[in-house]
Amino acid sequence: MCDDHTMNTGTINISNVLQRNRISLDGEWNIIVDPYEMGYIGILGDRNDRGFFRDHTPRHPGDRVEYDFDSSPTLTVPGDWNTQDERLHFYEGTIWYRRKVEVDYRDEWESGRTFLHIGAANHTSRVFLDGIELSTHAGGFSPYAVELTGRLTAGTHSLVIQVDNRREPDRIPAMRSDWWNFGGLTRSVDLVFVPDVFLQHAWLTMAPDGRVIGGVELNGGATDVRLRIPSLNLDTTVNTDFELDIAPERWNPGAPVLHDVRWTCGTDEVSDEVGFRTVETDGTDIVVNGKRTFLHGISIHSETPTGGRRANTAEHASTLLGWAQDLGANFVRLAHYQHDEHMVREADRLGILAWCEMPVYWGIAFDQPEVLGNAQEQLEELIVRDRSRAAVIFWSVANETLPSPERTAFLATLAERARELDPTRLISAAMLTLPTKEADHLIDDPLGAAVDVVAINQYLGWYYGDRETIPEATWRSVFGKPIVFTEMGGGAKAGHHGDEGEIWTEEFQAALYRAHIEMVKANRSSNGGEVAGLSPWILKDFRAPVRVLPGIQDGYNRKGLISEEGERKLAFDVLHAYYAQLAAAKD
């Protein structure tokens, strides 16, 4: 797409969309593959006013129209294009999606306002209705909405969405990542109907001191907002930012309590299920609801349980988090970008703590103000959607970025903005640790000063170091803050067996996990160390084009405890046994 530096225009964020009056536009969309972007850019480099977004058909036998959506192939929405058509497996570029929208005279169309809501379009997208360009959005994992009010008159309308997943140096993420660059409308697309004045945002959470705080943001006017929580006998009026004088039963990991919350603004009504819990740090401990809580978790990518596709349904979330529960995890790291809303809501229901992350990964252009601006937009989209979810205790602003003054200033700015948007949760970023010959590892990355928890990715015994020395390794930081191992582990091909010294075997991976577990035990804050948790890498094997070893990787990162087809490896049982010990000790 041209104009990569354009900030998001014509879009807004709307919270609690899943609870609103919607018409789904999921299903088959006609598509045109456009690697040269001729559907938008003319041969002279300016906008092509006869481009694909016009959805023209010939007006007479001699009319030259060099495309035809009606006779073009289709793709299913939601879904990535890479796994729907093998010809698009590695495709990076523009695809045009077109769907006809039939408008009748039902009540939804005749009053109030209408928005197009897109769950995610990777990476940059434009929305056109009847040939008119309405919006541009940059960011492949966050939802956004485009107002269509007054444009959907009775009859048939052409809705066209241009989606471009190219990797670019000034995008977030940028040129390289260790996951598949799934393109397309990867999450659901809906028409959302709201009154003229509606609750754009309505949220509740609990501050570290136990106060219940929240906020509302109206769109279209000002009026009182009624808030009811029947289980707490609460019926009150609120506006903007507020505090409630209530003491709700707490949501706890493993014992979730969710309260029915009802918001009313004029004729606009939104319901939600909200849990209340506190989270803070105390020295090198993480404290949930006043209790020191050791995070024993697992990292998860947003891929389907089987088939290697982009995850996007409640069923996918239930299966993935069900596997985490089977493992004995009380914590999941949702890496390396915003996951589908079903994931965080399912974590709420199951009582699993969650880490939510920005796709600021590896080689970001930290010296460019436009890139920082888009990072701030994506951060806001991450936080405003999920700040009512009790499960979420971390906002992560990055993963594995190399230290530099520009990088540290960039991420410190994001950390401060995250605190402005939500002062009730912990801020972190997964830091990259590099090989060292020392057994005593001292973390002094200056980013540690800007975060609440020092999160580190380390691969002793895999990318560097000897497995035999792992149990002796110690980990400290210069910041006096909790340390969480956000990544650790190694790869194995499911069903590939041998002795513990043979790489890629399940036995090698299991032995590596046993060594890391001993290291974690010795470094725990309860044993005088600084380690407050772990989320090994990763629950299941996932697609990654940088993993090319034939017969072993075949385009998959093999560090999963479960294969891409749901087969559990030996290391799953090793980690499960350790987590069972923690559960028995109530630790």
Side-chain angles (χ1 to χ4, degrees), residues 195 241 316 321 445 494 578:
D241 298 325
H316 297 155
L321 291 178
D445 186 326
Y578 175 47

Side-chain angles (χ1 to χ4, degrees), residues 443-513:
I443 307 302
D444 59 0
D445 186 326
L447 180 58
V451 298
D452 300 310
V453 171
V454 177
I456 54 178
N457 297 351
Q458 60 81 18
Y459 283 97
L460 289 173
W462 183 251
Y463 292 124
Y464 43 80
D466 297 323
R467 187 172 72 211
E468 291 73 16
T469 65
I470 293 174
E472 303 167 5
T474 60
W475 296 85
R476 298 177 296 114
S477 85
V478 300
F479 305 104
K481 299 175 180 180
I483 291 175
V484 173
F485 292 124
T486 34
E487 292 184 26
M488 55 194 285
K493 176 72 177 290
H496 184 46
H497 294 284
D499 63 42
E500 293 181 356
E502 184 181 348
I503 198 168
W504 302 115
T505 65
E506 291 192 36
E507 288 76 8
F508 185 102
Q509 185 188 44
L512 189 59
Y513 264 81

Side-chain angles (χ1 to χ4, degrees), residues 287-302:
V287 179
V288 177
N289 290 328
K291 178 184 177 183
R292 184 184 69 195
T293 302
F294 185 72
L295 304 179
H296 45 281
I298 193 69
S299 296
I300 302 178
H301 257 302
S302 182

Side-chain angles (χ1 to χ4, degrees), residues 118-158:
I118 297 173
N122 188 36
H123 167 275
T124 303
S125 54
R126 290 190 178 100
V127 172
F128 305 83
L129 185 69
D130 297 327
I132 298 172
E133 183 172 346
L134 301 181
S135 70
T136 299
H137 184 269
F141 305 98
S142 43
Y144 65 95
V146 180
E147 185 155 19
L148 303 184
T149 304
R151 300 180 183 274
L152 290 175
T153 55
T156 301
H157 297 267
S158 169

Side-chain angles (χ1 to χ4, degrees), residues 113 196-198 218-223 265:
R113 299 163 67 182
D196 290 331
V197 179
F198 71 97
L218 303 183
N219 188 305
T223 186
C265 165

